[in-house]
Amino acid sequence: MRKSVKVLFIVFVMLFLYMPILMLALYSFTTATNIGALRGFSMHNYVTLFTTPELVSMIFGTLTLAIGASLIATVLGTIGAIGSFYSKKGMASAINTMNQVPVVNADVVTGFSICILLVVVLGVSKDTYIPLVIGHVTLCAPFVYLSVIPKLKQMDSSIYEAALDLGATPFTALVKIVLPQILSGILSGFALAITLSLDDYFIATYTKPATFDTISTYVVNATKGGQTTIKTALWALSTVIFVLVLLIVLFMNYQANKKSEGTETV
């Protein structure tokens, strides 16, 4: 009886989480213009998504921003994590505390603060992409830090010390000993940074140039009364993003399980 209740509860939670996405996916393959009335099967929304220059440009710009900002955030977050790990206790505690501020702080406050600092105080033009990139790096870097720190604590630090004793320079030992051991944490942080950048709305709203839109800002503006054709094409975009994320997660879990089985065999 308890097992059945647990299964039903899990099913209910999963339906609650994924039903809206599944509904969008279902309607993306129809000719319906509003949620509520199913109509005939059609791939029109997907054709519109990948053939409309405005949508293609928006998607490409969002992906470019996400990858570029995530690369910078990954480098900074990894350096910060390594620096904190090898620092004295007081300094490490201060770095950890400062890293928590962007994590706990609301995105709207972060975005508004960056806009005030760069545009108003420092005079950086909002027509450039500098405030936007800095805003996304500020958003993502702390989460990379949090992904790398656990891997640093798990690694065998004696190997690094042995490399130094055998004549390796600190930089060589870092590249050949430390980085390979924390690579999975770095990759996880990079993937998380891309997800956060793609998902962000508030920071992009305050820092982006007027002529540039991310997926989040474009979707919000489109749902306020944009063209019906564009709005329904966004259903297809949501489906594509969900399927890609699902495939990536399944692949990562498969690789992790495969690595775990290999370790157990050895």
Side-chain angles (χ1 to χ4, degrees):
M1 185 67 181
R2 290 181 178 179
K3 185 176 181 180
S4 299
V5 172
K6 289 179 180 179
V7 172
L8 288 175
F9 178 75
I10 293 173
V11 171
F12 174 77
V13 172
M14 297 297 287
L15 287 175
F16 181 79
L17 291 174
Y18 292 105
M19 185 59 72
I21 301 175
L22 295 176
M23 286 186 63
L24 281 181
L26 175 63
Y27 277 90
S28 70
F29 290 101
T30 68
T31 57
T33 57
N34 290 293
I35 302 294
L38 281 173
R39 297 182 181 177
F41 174 82
S42 174
M43 296 294 292
H44 174 72
N45 291 327
Y46 291 87
V47 174
T48 302
L49 176 64
F50 294 109
T51 57
T52 304
E54 180 182 358
L55 292 174
V56 173
S57 176
M58 177 267 296
I59 295 171
F60 179 77
T62 304
L63 291 176
T64 302
L65 171 65
I67 294 173
S70 297
L71 286 173
I72 299 173
T74 300
V75 172
L76 295 178
T78 302
I79 292 174
I82 294 173
S84 172
F85 182 74
Y86 287 105
S87 296
K88 294 182 179 180
K89 187 175 180 179
M91 179 60 70
S93 178
I95 295 174
N96 283 324
T97 302
M98 289 187 291
N99 185 76
Q100 293 296 329
V101 174
V103 174
V104 178
N105 202 18
D107 289 353
V108 62
V109 176
T110 301
F112 186 69
S113 301
I114 290 173
C115 180
I116 293 295
L117 175 63
L118 295 179
V119 177
V120 178
V121 178
L122 299 180
V124 178
S125 175
K126 199 179 176 184
D127 293 332
T128 67
Y129 293 94
I130 295 176
L132 179 60
V133 172
I134 292 178
H136 275 225
V137 170
T138 303
L139 171 69
C140 299
F143 291 91
V144 177
Y145 177 97
L146 294 175
S147 297
V148 175
I149 279 290
K151 292 300 179 181
L152 286 166
K153 293 180 179 179
Q154 294 171 9
M155 74 175 187
D156 187 355
S157 58
S158 62
I159 301 178
Y160 174 77
E161 295 171 359
L164 296 179
D165 292 339
L166 292 172
T169 63
F171 179 77
T172 301
L174 172 67
V175 173
K176 294 187 176 182
I177 303 299
V178 176
L179 291 183
Q181 292 188 78
I182 64 173
L183 182 60
S184 60
I186 296 174
L187 293 178
S188 298
F190 176 70
L192 180 59
I194 289 180
T195 303
L196 290 168
S197 179
L198 291 174
D199 182 63
D200 172 68
Y201 170 75
F202 291 106
I203 293 177
T205 298
Y206 283 110
T207 59
K208 73 180 184 69
T211 57
F212 180 80
D213 265 314
T214 63
I215 292 176
S216 298
T217 58
Y218 189 91
V219 168
V220 171
N221 293 331
T223 53
K224 288 180 179 179
Q227 299 178 9
T228 301
T229 303
I230 297 296
K231 184 178 71 175
T232 56
L234 295 176
W235 300 349
L237 177 60
S238 300
T239 305
V240 171
I241 293 174
F242 176 73
V243 171
L244 288 176
V245 170
L246 180 62
L247 291 175
I248 292 171
V249 170
L250 291 175
F251 176 77
M252 292 177 66
N253 288 336
Y254 171 77
Q255 291 294 326
N257 292 334
K258 188 176 179 180
K259 184 177 180 180
S260 178
E261 291 174 359
T263 304
E264 292 177 358
T265 302
V266 174

